[in-house]
Amino acid sequence: MEVFPIGYIAIAFGIAAAGYFIGEGLKNFKNADGKDLINNLFNEDDEHELIKEKDVHHFLGTSKEDASLLISEHPDVPHVKLNGKVYFPKAKLREWLLKMGD
């Protein structure tokens, strides 16, 4: 059976990729809290991420009614209004909630 040159390239790429991912895994082998490549690529800093008003209850881990009540009782909750819609900056909302718990 003859292997075409493209097959060699694919095999070489696979071996290189496997080596890279194994190396990255070994870096965090004894550090369970370490960030891996996938988290670094897909979970960017959420400093600028906005949560829609209709979805904020998911972030809070409450019912829609409880989230609405919390927001109406605390007008100081960090939020922005864009085009008539309300959004909550994820990082600032997290900080605000932590301060409320103190």
Side-chain angles (χ1 to χ4, degrees):
M1 182 171 149
E2 185 176 328
V3 178
F4 297 111
I6 192 77
Y8 289 128
I9 293 170
I11 291 171
F13 180 78
I15 291 172
Y20 177 78
F21 288 115
I22 290 171
E24 286 296 309
L26 290 175
K27 284 181 187 177
N28 293 322
F29 185 71
K30 291 189 178 185
N31 182 9
D33 296 327
K35 292 193 174 194
D36 60 339
L37 175 68
I38 303 300
N39 283 335
N40 287 338
L41 290 176
F42 297 112
N43 292 334
E44 294 179 359
D45 189 18
D46 59 358
E47 181 178 349
H48 301 292
E49 186 175 346
L50 298 176
I51 304 170
K52 294 179 182 177
E53 185 175 28
K54 68 177 184 146
D55 298 327
V56 75
H57 69 281
H58 291 296
F59 179 76
L60 297 174
T62 64
S63 67
K64 287 184 180 183
E65 295 80 19
D66 289 342
S68 295
L69 184 62
L70 177 72
I71 292 165
S72 66
E73 288 180 355
H74 298 278
D76 60 327
V77 65
H79 67 282
V80 293
K81 292 182 181 179
L82 300 171
N83 297 328
K85 295 182 180 182
V86 178
Y87 298 92
F88 299 90
K90 192 174 189 179
K92 292 185 189 256
L93 183 57
R94 181 179 294 121
E95 289 174 21
W96 182 80
L97 288 167
L98 289 172
K99 287 178 184 176
M100 280 193 61
D102 291 338

